[in-house]
Coordinates of all heavy atoms in Angstrom, one line a residue:
T1 N -2.9 -16.2 -7.9 CA -4.3 -16.0 -8.3 C -5.0 -15.2 -7.2 O -4.9 -15.6 -6.0 CB -5.0 -17.4 -8.5 OG1 -4.3 -18.1 -9.5 CG2 -6.4 -17.2 -9.0
Q2 N -5.8 -14.3 -7.6 CA -6.6 -13.5 -6.6 C -8.0 -14.0 -6.6 O -8.5 -14.5 -7.6 CB -6.6 -12.0 -7.0 CG -5.2 -11.4 -6.8 CD -5.3 -9.9 -7.0 OE1 -6.4 -9.3 -7.3 NE2 -4.2 -9.2 -6.8
H3 N -8.5 -14.0 -5.4 CA -9.9 -14.5 -5.1 C -10.7 -13.4 -4.4 O -10.2 -12.7 -3.7 CB -9.9 -15.8 -4.3 CG -9.2 -16.9 -4.9 ND1 -9.6 -17.7 -5.9 CD2 -8.0 -17.4 -4.6 CE1 -8.8 -18.6 -6.3 NE2 -7.7 -18.5 -5.5
D4 N -12.0 -13.5 -4.7 CA -12.9 -12.6 -4.0 C -13.0 -13.1 -2.5 O -13.5 -14.2 -2.3 CB -14.3 -12.6 -4.6 CG -15.3 -11.7 -3.9 OD1 -14.9 -11.0 -3.0 OD2 -16.5 -11.9 -4.2
L5 N -12.5 -12.3 -1.6 CA -12.5 -12.7 -0.2 C -13.7 -12.1 0.6 O -13.7 -12.1 1.8 CB -11.2 -12.4 0.5 CG -10.0 -13.1 -0.1 CD1 -8.7 -12.7 0.6 CD2 -10.1 -14.6 -0.1
S6 N -14.7 -11.5 -0.1 CA -15.8 -10.9 0.6 C -16.8 -12.0 1.1 O -17.7 -11.7 1.9 CB -16.5 -9.9 -0.3 OG -17.1 -10.6 -1.4
G7 N -16.7 -13.2 0.5 CA -17.6 -14.3 0.9 C -17.0 -15.2 2.0 O -16.1 -14.8 2.7
S8 N -17.4 -16.4 1.9 CA -17.0 -17.4 2.9 C -15.6 -18.0 2.6 O -15.4 -18.6 1.5 CB -18.0 -18.5 3.0 OG -17.5 -19.6 3.7
L9 N -14.6 -17.9 3.5 CA -13.3 -18.5 3.4 C -13.5 -20.0 3.4 O -12.8 -20.7 2.7 CB -12.4 -18.1 4.5 CG -11.0 -18.6 4.5 CD1 -10.3 -18.3 3.2 CD2 -10.2 -18.1 5.7
T10 N -14.4 -20.5 4.2 CA -14.7 -22.0 4.3 C -15.1 -22.5 2.9 O -14.7 -23.5 2.4 CB -15.8 -22.3 5.3 OG1 -15.3 -21.8 6.6 CG2 -16.1 -23.7 5.4
A11 N -16.0 -21.8 2.2 CA -16.5 -22.2 0.9 C -15.4 -22.1 -0.1 O -15.2 -23.0 -0.9 CB -17.7 -21.3 0.5
L12 N -14.6 -21.1 -0.1 CA -13.5 -21.0 -1.0 C -12.5 -22.1 -0.8 O -12.0 -22.7 -1.8 CB -12.7 -19.6 -0.8 CG -11.5 -19.4 -1.6 CD1 -11.8 -19.3 -3.1 CD2 -10.7 -18.2 -1.1
M13 N -12.1 -22.4 0.4 CA -11.2 -23.6 0.6 C -11.8 -24.9 0.1 O -11.0 -25.7 -0.4 CB -10.9 -23.7 2.1 CG -10.1 -22.5 2.7 SD -8.5 -22.2 1.9 CE -7.6 -23.6 2.5
A14 N -13.1 -25.1 0.3 CA -13.7 -26.3 -0.1 C -13.8 -26.4 -1.7 O -13.4 -27.3 -2.3 CB -15.1 -26.5 0.5
D15 N -14.4 -25.3 -2.2 CA -14.7 -25.3 -3.7 C -13.4 -25.2 -4.5 O -13.3 -25.9 -5.5 CB -15.6 -24.1 -4.0 CG -17.0 -24.2 -3.4 OD1 -17.3 -25.3 -3.0 OD2 -17.7 -23.2 -3.3
R16 N -12.5 -24.3 -4.2 CA -11.4 -24.0 -5.1 C -10.2 -25.0 -4.8 O -9.5 -25.4 -5.7 CB -10.9 -22.6 -4.8 CG -9.7 -22.2 -5.6 CD -10.1 -21.9 -7.1 NE -8.9 -21.4 -7.8 CZ -8.7 -21.6 -9.0 NH1 -9.6 -22.1 -9.8 NH2 -7.6 -21.1 -9.6
Y17 N -10.0 -25.4 -3.5 CA -8.9 -26.2 -3.2 C -9.2 -27.6 -2.7 O -8.3 -28.3 -2.4 CB -8.0 -25.4 -2.2 CG -7.5 -24.1 -2.7 CD1 -8.1 -22.9 -2.3 CD2 -6.5 -24.1 -3.6 CE1 -7.7 -21.7 -2.8 CE2 -6.0 -22.8 -4.1 CZ -6.7 -21.7 -3.7 OH -6.2 -20.5 -4.2
G18 N -10.5 -27.9 -2.7 CA -10.8 -29.3 -2.2 C -10.5 -29.6 -0.8 O -10.2 -30.7 -0.4
L19 N -10.6 -28.6 0.1 CA -10.2 -28.7 1.5 C -11.4 -28.3 2.4 O -11.3 -27.3 3.1 CB -9.0 -27.9 1.8 CG -7.7 -28.3 1.1 CD1 -6.6 -27.3 1.3 CD2 -7.2 -29.7 1.6
P20 N -12.5 -29.1 2.4 CA -13.5 -28.7 3.3 C -13.1 -28.8 4.8 O -12.3 -29.7 5.1 CB -14.6 -29.7 3.0 CG -13.9 -30.9 2.4 CD -12.7 -30.3 1.7
I21 N -13.6 -28.0 5.6 CA -13.3 -28.0 7.0 C -14.1 -29.1 7.7 O -15.3 -29.2 7.6 CB -13.6 -26.7 7.7 CG1 -12.5 -25.7 7.2 CG2 -13.5 -26.8 9.3 CD1 -12.7 -24.3 7.7
R22 N -13.4 -30.0 8.4 CA -14.1 -31.1 9.1 C -13.9 -31.1 10.6 O -14.7 -31.7 11.3 CB -13.5 -32.4 8.6 CG -13.8 -32.8 7.2 CD -15.3 -33.2 7.2 NE -15.6 -33.7 5.9 CZ -16.7 -33.5 5.3 NH1 -17.6 -32.7 5.8 NH2 -16.9 -34.0 4.1
R23 N -12.9 -30.3 11.0 CA -12.7 -30.3 12.5 C -12.2 -28.9 12.8 O -11.5 -28.2 12.1 CB -11.6 -31.3 12.8 CG -11.3 -31.5 14.3 CD -10.4 -32.8 14.5 NE -9.1 -32.7 13.9 CZ -8.0 -32.3 14.5 NH1 -8.1 -31.7 15.7 NH2 -6.9 -32.3 13.9
F24 N -12.6 -28.5 14.0 CA -12.2 -27.1 14.5 C -11.8 -27.2 16.0 O -12.4 -27.9 16.8 CB -13.4 -26.2 14.4 CG -13.2 -24.8 14.9 CD1 -12.6 -23.9 14.1 CD2 -13.6 -24.5 16.2 CE1 -12.4 -22.6 14.6 CE2 -13.4 -23.2 16.7 CZ -12.9 -22.2 15.9
S25 N -10.7 -26.6 16.3 CA -10.1 -26.7 17.7 C -9.9 -25.2 18.1 O -9.4 -24.4 17.4 CB -8.8 -27.4 17.7 OG -8.2 -27.3 19.0
A26 N -10.4 -24.9 19.3 CA -10.2 -23.6 19.9 C -9.7 -23.7 21.3 O -10.3 -24.5 22.1 CB -11.5 -22.8 19.9
E27 N -8.7 -23.0 21.6 CA -8.2 -22.9 23.0 C -8.4 -21.5 23.5 O -8.0 -20.6 22.9 CB -6.6 -23.3 22.9 CG -6.0 -23.2 24.3 CD -4.5 -23.6 24.1 OE1 -4.2 -24.7 23.7 OE2 -3.7 -22.7 24.4
M28 N -9.0 -21.5 24.7 CA -9.4 -20.2 25.3 C -8.7 -20.1 26.6 O -8.8 -21.1 27.4 CB -10.9 -20.0 25.4 CG -11.6 -20.1 24.1 SD -13.4 -20.0 24.4 CE -13.9 -20.6 22.8
E29 N -8.1 -19.0 26.9 CA -7.5 -18.9 28.3 C -7.5 -17.4 28.7 O -7.3 -16.5 27.9 CB -6.0 -19.4 28.3 CG -5.0 -18.6 27.6 CD -3.6 -19.2 27.7 OE1 -3.1 -19.3 28.9 OE2 -3.0 -19.4 26.7
P30 N -7.7 -17.2 30.0 CA -7.7 -15.9 30.5 C -6.3 -15.4 30.6 O -5.3 -16.1 30.8 CB -8.3 -16.0 31.9 CG -8.1 -17.5 32.3 CD -8.0 -18.2 31.0
T31 N -6.2 -14.1 30.3 CA -4.9 -13.4 30.4 C -5.1 -12.0 30.8 O -6.2 -11.6 31.1 CB -4.1 -13.5 29.0 OG1 -2.8 -13.0 29.1 CG2 -4.9 -12.8 27.9
V32 N -4.0 -11.2 30.8 CA -4.2 -9.7 31.1 C -3.6 -9.0 29.9 O -2.6 -9.4 29.3 CB -3.6 -9.3 32.4 CG1 -4.3 -10.0 33.6 CG2 -2.1 -9.7 32.5
A33 N -4.0 -7.8 29.7 CA -3.6 -6.9 28.6 C -2.2 -6.5 28.8 O -1.8 -5.9 29.8 CB -4.5 -5.7 28.4
S34 N -1.3 -6.7 27.7 CA 0.0 -6.2 27.7 C -0.1 -4.7 27.2 O -1.2 -4.3 26.8 CB 0.8 -7.0 26.7 OG 0.4 -6.7 25.3
P35 N 1.0 -4.0 27.2 CA 0.9 -2.6 26.7 C 0.3 -2.5 25.3 O -0.5 -1.6 25.0 CB 2.3 -2.1 26.9 CG 2.8 -2.8 28.0 CD 2.3 -4.2 27.9
D36 N 0.8 -3.4 24.4 CA 0.4 -3.3 23.0 C -1.1 -3.7 22.9 O -1.9 -3.1 22.2 CB 1.2 -4.3 22.1 CG 2.6 -3.7 21.8 OD1 2.8 -2.5 21.9 OD2 3.5 -4.6 21.5
E37 N -1.5 -4.8 23.6 CA -2.9 -5.2 23.5 C -3.8 -4.1 24.1 O -4.9 -3.9 23.6 CB -3.1 -6.5 24.3 CG -2.3 -7.7 23.6 CD -1.9 -8.8 24.5 OE1 -2.2 -8.7 25.7 OE2 -1.3 -9.8 24.0
A38 N -3.4 -3.5 25.2 CA -4.2 -2.5 25.9 C -4.4 -1.3 24.9 O -5.5 -0.8 24.8 CB -3.5 -2.0 27.1
R39 N -3.3 -0.9 24.2 CA -3.5 0.2 23.3 C -4.4 -0.2 22.1 O -5.3 0.6 21.8 CB -2.1 0.5 22.7 CG -2.1 1.7 21.7 CD -0.7 1.9 21.1 NE 0.0 0.7 20.7 CZ -0.2 0.2 19.5 NH1 -1.0 0.7 18.6 NH2 0.5 -0.9 19.1
L40 N -4.3 -1.3 21.6 CA -5.2 -1.7 20.5 C -6.6 -1.9 20.9 O -7.5 -1.6 20.1 CB -4.7 -3.0 19.8 CG -3.3 -2.9 19.1 CD1 -2.8 -4.3 18.8 CD2 -3.5 -2.1 17.8
L41 N -6.8 -2.4 22.1 CA -8.2 -2.7 22.6 C -8.8 -1.5 23.4 O -9.9 -1.5 23.8 CB -8.3 -3.9 23.4 CG -7.9 -5.2 22.6 CD1 -7.8 -6.4 23.6 CD2 -9.0 -5.5 21.6
R42 N -8.0 -0.4 23.5 CA -8.4 0.8 24.3 C -8.8 0.5 25.7 O -9.9 0.8 26.2 CB -9.5 1.5 23.5 CG -9.0 2.0 22.2 CD -10.1 2.7 21.4 NE -9.6 3.0 20.1 CZ -10.4 3.2 19.1 NH1 -11.7 3.1 19.2 NH2 -9.9 3.4 17.9
V43 N -8.0 -0.3 26.4 CA -8.2 -0.6 27.8 C -6.9 -0.4 28.5 O -5.9 0.0 28.0 CB -8.6 -2.1 28.0 CG1 -9.9 -2.4 27.3 CG2 -7.5 -3.1 27.5
S44 N -6.9 -0.5 29.9 CA -5.8 -0.3 30.7 C -4.9 -1.5 30.7 O -5.4 -2.6 30.5 CB -6.2 0.0 32.1 OG -6.9 1.2 32.2
V45 N -3.6 -1.3 30.8 CA -2.7 -2.4 30.9 C -3.1 -3.3 32.2 O -3.5 -2.7 33.2 CB -1.2 -1.9 31.1 CG1 -0.3 -3.1 31.4 CG2 -0.8 -1.2 29.9
G46 N -3.1 -4.6 32.0 CA -3.5 -5.4 33.1 C -5.0 -5.8 33.2 O -5.4 -6.6 34.0
V47 N -5.8 -5.2 32.3 CA -7.2 -5.6 32.3 C -7.4 -7.0 31.9 O -6.7 -7.5 31.0 CB -8.0 -4.6 31.4 CG1 -9.3 -5.1 31.0 CG2 -8.1 -3.2 32.0
P48 N -8.3 -7.8 32.5 CA -8.5 -9.1 32.0 C -9.0 -9.3 30.6 O -9.8 -8.5 30.2 CB -9.6 -9.6 33.0 CG -9.5 -8.7 34.2 CD -9.1 -7.4 33.6
L49 N -8.4 -10.2 29.9 CA -8.8 -10.5 28.5 C -9.0 -12.0 28.4 O -8.5 -12.8 29.2 CB -7.7 -10.0 27.5 CG -7.3 -8.6 27.5 CD1 -6.1 -8.4 26.6 CD2 -8.5 -7.7 27.1
L50 N -9.6 -12.4 27.3 CA -9.7 -13.8 26.9 C -8.9 -14.0 25.6 O -9.2 -13.3 24.6 CB -11.1 -14.2 26.7 CG -11.3 -15.7 26.4 CD1 -10.9 -16.6 27.6 CD2 -12.8 -16.0 26.0
K51 N -7.8 -14.8 25.7 CA -7.0 -15.1 24.5 C -7.6 -16.4 23.9 O -7.8 -17.4 24.5 CB -5.6 -15.3 24.9 CG -4.7 -15.7 23.8 CD -3.3 -16.0 24.3 CE -2.4 -16.5 23.2 NZ -1.0 -16.8 23.7
V52 N -7.8 -16.3 22.5 CA -8.4 -17.4 21.8 C -7.5 -17.8 20.6 O -7.2 -16.9 19.8 CB -9.8 -17.1 21.3 CG1 -10.4 -18.3 20.6 CG2 -10.8 -16.7 22.5
V53 N -7.1 -19.0 20.6 CA -6.3 -19.6 19.5 C -7.1 -20.7 18.9 O -7.6 -21.6 19.6 CB -4.9 -20.1 20.0 CG1 -4.2 -20.7 18.8 CG2 -4.1 -19.1 20.7
S54 N -7.4 -20.6 17.6 CA -8.2 -21.6 16.9 C -7.6 -22.1 15.6 O -6.9 -21.3 14.9 CB -9.6 -21.1 16.7 OG -9.6 -20.0 15.8
V55 N -7.8 -23.3 15.3 CA -7.3 -24.0 14.1 C -8.4 -24.8 13.5 O -9.1 -25.5 14.2 CB -6.1 -24.9 14.4 CG1 -5.5 -25.5 13.1 CG2 -5.0 -24.1 15.1
A56 N -8.6 -24.6 12.2 CA -9.6 -25.4 11.5 C -8.8 -26.4 10.6 O -7.8 -26.1 10.0 CB -10.5 -24.6 10.6
F57 N -9.3 -27.7 10.6 CA -8.6 -28.7 9.9 C -9.5 -29.3 8.7 O -10.7 -29.4 8.9 CB -8.3 -29.9 10.8 CG -7.3 -29.6 11.9 CD1 -7.7 -29.0 13.1 CD2 -6.0 -29.7 11.7 CE1 -6.9 -28.7 14.1 CE2 -5.0 -29.4 12.7 CZ -5.5 -28.9 13.9
S58 N -8.8 -29.6 7.6 CA -9.6 -30.1 6.5 C -10.0 -31.6 6.7 O -9.6 -32.2 7.7 CB -8.6 -30.0 5.2 OG -7.6 -31.0 5.3
N59 N -10.7 -32.1 5.7 CA -11.0 -33.5 5.7 C -9.8 -34.4 5.6 O -9.9 -35.6 5.8 CB -12.0 -33.8 4.5 CG -11.5 -33.5 3.2 OD1 -10.5 -32.7 3.0 ND2 -12.0 -34.1 2.1
R60 N -8.6 -33.9 5.2 CA -7.4 -34.6 5.2 C -6.6 -34.4 6.5 O -5.4 -34.7 6.6 CB -6.6 -34.3 4.0 CG -7.2 -34.6 2.7 CD -6.4 -34.2 1.5 NE -7.2 -33.8 0.5 CZ -6.9 -32.9 -0.5 NH1 -5.7 -32.4 -0.5 NH2 -7.7 -32.6 -1.4
D61 N -7.2 -33.7 7.5 CA -6.6 -33.4 8.8 C -5.4 -32.4 8.6 O -4.5 -32.4 9.4 CB -6.2 -34.6 9.6 CG -6.4 -34.4 11.1 OD1 -7.3 -33.6 11.4 OD2 -5.6 -34.9 11.8
L62 N -5.5 -31.6 7.6 CA -4.5 -30.5 7.4 C -5.0 -29.2 8.0 O -6.2 -28.9 7.8 CB -4.3 -30.3 5.9 CG -3.7 -31.4 5.1 CD1 -3.8 -31.1 3.6 CD2 -2.3 -31.8 5.5
P63 N -4.1 -28.5 8.7 CA -4.6 -27.2 9.3 C -4.7 -26.2 8.1 O -3.8 -26.0 7.3 CB -3.4 -26.8 10.2 CG -2.3 -27.6 9.7 CD -2.8 -28.8 9.1
V64 N -5.9 -25.7 8.0 CA -6.2 -24.8 6.8 C -6.6 -23.4 7.2 O -6.6 -22.5 6.4 CB -7.3 -25.3 5.9 CG1 -6.8 -26.6 5.2 CG2 -8.6 -25.6 6.6
R65 N -6.8 -23.2 8.5 CA -7.1 -21.8 9.0 C -6.7 -21.7 10.4 O -6.9 -22.6 11.3 CB -8.6 -21.6 8.9 CG -9.0 -20.1 9.2 CD -10.5 -19.8 8.9 NE -11.3 -20.6 9.7 CZ -12.5 -21.0 9.4 NH1 -13.0 -20.7 8.2 NH2 -13.3 -21.8 10.2
Y66 N -6.0 -20.6 10.7 CA -5.5 -20.3 12.1 C -5.9 -18.9 12.5 O -5.9 -18.0 11.6 CB -3.9 -20.4 12.1 CG -3.3 -19.9 13.3 CD1 -3.1 -20.9 14.4 CD2 -2.9 -18.6 13.5 CE1 -2.5 -20.5 15.6 CE2 -2.3 -18.2 14.7 CZ -2.1 -19.2 15.7 OH -1.5 -18.8 16.9
S67 N -6.3 -18.8 13.7 CA -6.6 -17.4 14.1 C -6.2 -17.2 15.6 O -6.2 -18.2 16.4 CB -8.1 -17.1 13.9 OG -8.9 -17.2 15.1
L68 N -5.8 -16.0 15.9 CA -5.4 -15.7 17.3 C -6.1 -14.3 17.6 O -6.0 -13.4 16.8 CB -3.9 -15.5 17.3 CG -3.2 -14.9 18.5 CD1 -3.5 -15.8 19.7 CD2 -1.7 -14.7 18.3
G69 N -6.7 -14.3 18.7 CA -7.4 -13.1 19.1 C -7.4 -12.9 20.6 O -7.3 -13.8 21.4
W70 N -7.5 -11.6 21.0 CA -7.7 -11.2 22.4 C -9.0 -10.5 22.5 O -9.3 -9.6 21.7 CB -6.6 -10.3 22.8 CG -5.3 -11.0 23.0 CD1 -4.8 -11.6 24.1 CD2 -4.3 -11.3 22.0 NE1 -3.5 -12.1 23.9 CE2 -3.2 -12.0 22.6 CE3 -4.2 -11.0 20.6 CZ2 -2.1 -12.4 21.9 CZ3 -3.1 -11.4 19.9 CH2 -2.0 -12.1 20.6
Y71 N -9.8 -10.8 23.4 CA -11.1 -10.2 23.6 C -11.3 -9.6 24.9 O -11.0 -10.2 26.0 CB -12.2 -11.3 23.3 CG -12.1 -11.9 22.0 CD1 -11.3 -13.1 21.8 CD2 -12.8 -11.4 20.9 CE1 -11.2 -13.6 20.5 CE2 -12.6 -11.9 19.6 CZ -11.9 -13.1 19.4 OH -11.7 -13.6 18.2
R72 N -12.0 -8.5 25.0 CA -12.3 -7.8 26.2 C -13.4 -8.5 26.9 O -14.4 -8.8 26.3 CB -12.7 -6.4 25.9 CG -11.6 -5.5 25.4 CD -12.1 -4.1 25.0 NE -13.0 -3.5 26.0 CZ -13.4 -2.2 26.0 NH1 -12.9 -1.4 25.1 NH2 -14.2 -1.8 27.0
G73 N -13.3 -8.8 28.1 CA -14.3 -9.5 28.9 C -15.6 -8.7 29.1 O -16.7 -9.3 29.2
D74 N -15.4 -7.4 29.1 CA -16.6 -6.5 29.3 C -17.4 -6.3 28.1 O -18.5 -5.7 28.1 CB -16.2 -5.2 29.9 CG -15.3 -4.4 29.0 OD1 -14.6 -5.0 28.1 OD2 -15.3 -3.1 29.1
R75 N -17.0 -6.8 26.9 CA -17.7 -6.5 25.6 C -17.7 -7.8 24.8 O -17.6 -7.8 23.6 CB -17.0 -5.4 24.9 CG -17.0 -4.1 25.6 CD -16.4 -3.0 24.8 NE -17.1 -2.9 23.5 CZ -18.0 -2.0 23.2 NH1 -18.3 -1.1 24.1 NH2 -18.5 -1.9 22.0
L76 N -17.9 -8.9 25.4 CA -17.8 -10.2 24.7 C -18.9 -11.1 25.1 O -19.3 -11.2 26.2 CB -16.5 -10.9 25.2 CG -16.2 -12.3 24.7 CD1 -15.9 -12.3 23.2 CD2 -15.1 -12.9 25.5
K77 N -19.4 -11.8 24.1 CA -20.3 -12.9 24.2 C -19.9 -13.9 23.2 O -19.9 -13.7 22.0 CB -21.8 -12.4 24.0 CG -22.8 -13.5 24.1 CD -24.2 -13.0 23.8 CE -25.2 -14.0 24.0 NZ -26.6 -13.5 23.8
F78 N -19.6 -15.1 23.7 CA -19.3 -16.2 22.8 C -20.5 -17.1 22.6 O -21.2 -17.5 23.6 CB -18.2 -17.1 23.4 CG -16.8 -16.8 22.9 CD1 -16.0 -16.0 23.7 CD2 -16.4 -17.2 21.6 CE1 -14.7 -15.7 23.2 CE2 -15.2 -16.8 21.2 CZ -14.3 -16.1 22.0
I79 N -20.8 -17.5 21.4 CA -21.8 -18.4 21.0 C -21.1 -19.5 20.2 O -20.5 -19.3 19.2 CB -22.9 -17.8 20.2 CG1 -23.5 -16.6 20.9 CG2 -23.9 -18.8 19.7 CD1 -24.5 -15.8 20.1
V80 N -21.2 -20.8 20.7 CA -20.6 -21.9 20.1 C -21.7 -22.8 19.6 O -22.5 -23.2 20.4 CB -19.6 -22.6 21.0 CG1 -19.0 -23.8 20.3 CG2 -18.5 -21.7 21.6
E81 N -21.7 -23.2 18.3 CA -22.7 -24.1 17.8 C -22.0 -25.2 17.1 O -21.0 -25.0 16.4 CB -23.5 -23.3 16.8 CG -24.3 -22.2 17.4 CD -25.1 -21.4 16.3 OE1 -24.5 -20.6 15.6 OE2 -26.3 -21.7 16.2
D82 N -22.5 -26.4 17.2 CA -22.1 -27.6 16.5 C -23.1 -28.0 15.5 O -24.3 -27.9 15.7 CB -21.8 -28.8 17.5 CG -20.6 -28.6 18.4 OD1 -19.7 -27.9 17.9 OD2 -20.6 -29.1 19.5
Y83 N -22.6 -28.5 14.4 CA -23.5 -28.9 13.3 C -23.2 -30.4 13.0 O -22.1 -30.8 13.1 CB -23.3 -28.1 12.0 CG -23.6 -26.6 12.2 CD1 -22.6 -25.8 12.7 CD2 -24.8 -26.2 11.9 CE1 -22.9 -24.4 12.8 CE2 -25.1 -24.8 12.0 CZ -24.2 -24.0 12.5 OH -24.5 -22.6 12.6
D84 N -24.2 -31.1 12.4 CA -24.0 -32.4 11.8 C -23.4 -32.1 10.5 O -23.8 -31.2 9.8 CB -25.3 -33.2 11.6 CG -25.8 -33.6 13.0 OD1 -25.1 -33.9 13.9 OD2 -27.1 -33.7 13.1
I85 N -22.4 -32.9 10.1 CA -21.8 -32.8 8.8 C -22.8 -33.4 7.7 O -22.9 -34.6 7.7 CB -20.4 -33.5 8.7 CG1 -19.5 -33.0 9.8 CG2 -19.9 -33.3 7.3 CD1 -18.7 -31.8 9.5
V86 N -23.4 -32.6 6.9 CA -24.3 -33.0 5.9 C -23.7 -32.8 4.6 O -23.9 -33.7 3.7 CB -25.7 -32.2 6.0 CG1 -26.6 -32.6 4.9 CG2 -26.3 -32.5 7.4
A87 N -23.0 -31.7 4.4 CA -22.4 -31.4 3.1 C -21.0 -31.0 3.3 O -20.6 -30.7 4.4 CB -23.2 -30.3 2.4
D88 N -20.2 -31.0 2.3 CA -18.8 -30.6 2.4 C -18.6 -29.2 3.0 O -17.6 -28.9 3.6 CB -18.1 -30.7 1.1 CG -17.8 -32.1 0.7 OD1 -17.9 -33.0 1.6 OD2 -17.5 -32.4 -0.5
L89 N -19.6 -28.3 2.8 CA -19.4 -27.0 3.3 C -19.9 -26.7 4.7 O -19.8 -25.7 5.2 CB -20.1 -26.0 2.3 CG -19.6 -26.0 0.9 CD1 -20.3 -25.0 0.1 CD2 -18.1 -25.7 0.9
A90 N -20.6 -27.7 5.3 CA -21.1 -27.5 6.6 C -20.0 -27.5 7.6 O -19.2 -28.5 7.7 CB -22.1 -28.6 6.9
P91 N -19.9 -26.5 8.4 CA -18.8 -26.4 9.4 C -19.1 -27.4 10.6 O -20.2 -27.6 10.9 CB -18.8 -25.0 9.9 CG -20.2 -24.5 9.7 CD -20.7 -25.3 8.5
L92 N -18.0 -27.9 11.1 CA -18.2 -28.8 12.3 C -18.5 -27.9 13.5 O -19.4 -28.2 14.3 CB -16.9 -29.5 12.6 CG -16.9 -30.4 13.8 CD1 -17.9 -31.5 13.7 CD2 -15.5 -31.1 14.0
S93 N -17.9 -26.7 13.6 CA -18.2 -25.8 14.7 C -18.1 -24.4 14.2 O -17.4 -24.1 13.2 CB -17.1 -25.9 15.8 OG -17.2 -27.2 16.4
A94 N -18.9 -23.6 14.8 CA -18.8 -22.1 14.4 C -18.8 -21.4 15.7 O -19.5 -21.7 16.7 CB -20.1 -21.8 13.7
V95 N -17.9 -20.4 15.8 CA -17.8 -19.6 17.0 C -18.1 -18.1 16.5 O -17.5 -17.7 15.5 CB -16.3 -19.6 17.6 CG1 -16.2 -18.7 18.7 CG2 -16.0 -21.0 18.0
T96 N -19.0 -17.5 17.2 CA -19.3 -16.1 16.9 C -19.0 -15.3 18.1 O -19.3 -15.7 19.2 CB -20.9 -16.1 16.6 OG1 -21.2 -17.0 15.5 CG2 -21.3 -14.7 16.2
T97 N -18.5 -14.1 17.8 CA -18.2 -13.2 18.9 C -19.1 -12.0 18.6 O -19.3 -11.6 17.4 CB -16.8 -12.7 19.0 OG1 -16.4 -12.1 17.8 CG2 -15.9 -13.9 19.3
R98 N -19.6 -11.4 19.6 CA -20.5 -10.2 19.5 C -20.1 -9.3 20.6 O -20.1 -9.6 21.7 CB -21.9 -10.7 19.6 CG -22.9 -9.6 19.3 CD -24.3 -10.0 19.4 NE -24.5 -11.4 18.9 CZ -25.5 -12.2 19.3 NH1 -26.4 -11.7 20.1 NH2 -25.6 -13.4 18.8
S99 N -19.7 -8.1 20.2 CA -19.4 -7.1 21.2 C -20.6 -6.2 21.4 O -21.5 -6.0 20.5 CB -18.2 -6.3 20.8 OG -18.3 -5.7 19.6
G100 N -20.7 -5.6 22.5 CA -21.9 -4.7 22.8 C -22.1 -4.5 24.2 O -22.6 -3.9 24.9

């Protein structure tokens, strides 16, 4: 089945599959750019990066979303917000990245 993915993945998981996100875990660690990462991020090999691995868990504690990213330290701002769980679609945590 195909779904419109232009909207919220969180809403789709909750509405269509009954898996609202209840918990979010993010691991962040400093690293340096490998040759592949340097090419993709248009930086020099060895430039400091921030590696972020995150997993979102459903109300049944099932992992429902995984993400892995490398971020340039010179173009990164992290904003982390926590919410009270009021409705099934309210995220426990939201991480926003903004480059500029």
